[in-house]
Amino acid sequence: MFTNEQLAQHIINQFGDAVSDFDDPYDLLTFSTTREQIVALITYLRDEPALQVNFLTDITAVHYPDSPGKEYCVVYHLHSFVNNFRLRIKVFLTADDMHIPTMVPLFAGANWMERETFDYFGILFDGHPDLRRILNMEEMDYHPMRKEYPLEDATREDKIDALFGR
């Protein structure tokens, strides 16, 4: 059994400056790495006998349009059933280079997770065996979870602001 501090130190000892921004919100160890290190890092976590991070829970993304140079964040959630701990790993990407290596060779279940992340955010998973939309129509020329559109229609006249707490 590892504490989050012990686990973080174990990862830092192995990857040094390639990992950063350690935190543990809600007791979930969270940290960042680079797209160049993500495959090596997750391979290590999976194959290291002391850790046995053997389950990829989810891959998703977040769009931060007001963060120049870090507009997109690909987020990996992993779980070690043997040691009963979870991890969140973040990889930040720029809007003009949204490529990241696929995790399909490590976890077959990454296939659909990456397709969903591509479908909603437009993240390009290099090496993915079948990167195409999974939930939306192929004809869509946009990615609906990007924060590129206003949340409300400013032209609507049937809203009364007082009813919405404004």
Side-chain angles (χ1 to χ4, degrees):
M1 229 23 145
F2 288 93
T3 65
N4 282 348
E5 293 78 19
Q6 292 169 328
L7 185 56
Q9 193 57 55
H10 190 93
I11 294 167
I12 291 168
N13 290 345
Q14 186 66 29
F15 289 91
D17 292 339
V19 291
S20 61
D21 302 326
F22 282 83
D23 196 7
D24 61 347
Y26 304 102
D27 204 33
L28 174 63
L29 182 61
T30 302
F31 60 96
S32 299
T33 190
T34 64
R35 89 174 107 211
E36 293 79 17
Q37 288 294 318
I38 190 64
V39 173
L41 175 62
I42 291 181
T43 300
Y44 174 77
L45 293 170
R46 183 193 68 179
D47 295 345
E48 171 61 30
L51 301 178
Q52 299 183 50
V53 179
N54 50 11
F55 187 73
L56 177 64
T57 307
D58 191 25
I59 300 173
T60 190
V62 182
H63 184 198
Y64 297 109
D66 298 328
S67 298
K70 290 183 167 186
E71 290 90 356
Y72 291 91
C73 179
V74 179
V75 182
Y76 298 85
H77 289 105
L78 299 125
H79 189 179
S80 172
F81 290 120
V82 174
N83 295 304
N84 194 28
F85 66 79
R86 297 174 188 270
L87 297 169
R88 177 187 299 137
I89 305 172
K90 299 178 179 182
V91 178
F92 289 93
L93 304 173
T94 63
D96 55 348
D97 188 7
M98 295 174 35
H99 290 263
I100 193 164
T102 184
M103 288 298 141
V104 172
L106 299 176
F107 295 101
N111 189 323
W112 284 27
M113 295 176 203
E114 290 177 354
R115 284 181 61 191
E116 179 185 47
T117 304
F118 163 73
D119 193 357
Y120 281 143
F121 292 94
I123 305 294
L124 300 170
F125 292 90
D126 297 333
H128 191 282
D130 186 22
L131 192 61
R132 60 188 165 95
R133 291 190 181 269
I134 191 169
L135 297 169
N136 293 303
M137 300 178 300
E138 287 290 335
E139 297 79 32
M140 287 179 68
D141 60 353
Y142 60 94
H143 301 280
M145 293 299 288
R146 290 183 180 179
K147 297 175 184 172
E148 298 175 334
Y149 310 99
L151 294 176
E152 295 184 20
D153 181 359
T155 64
R156 282 184 59 182
E157 297 179 8
D158 62 335
K159 298 185 304 184
I160 301 171
D161 282 347
L163 298 176
F164 293 95
R166 295 181 220 147

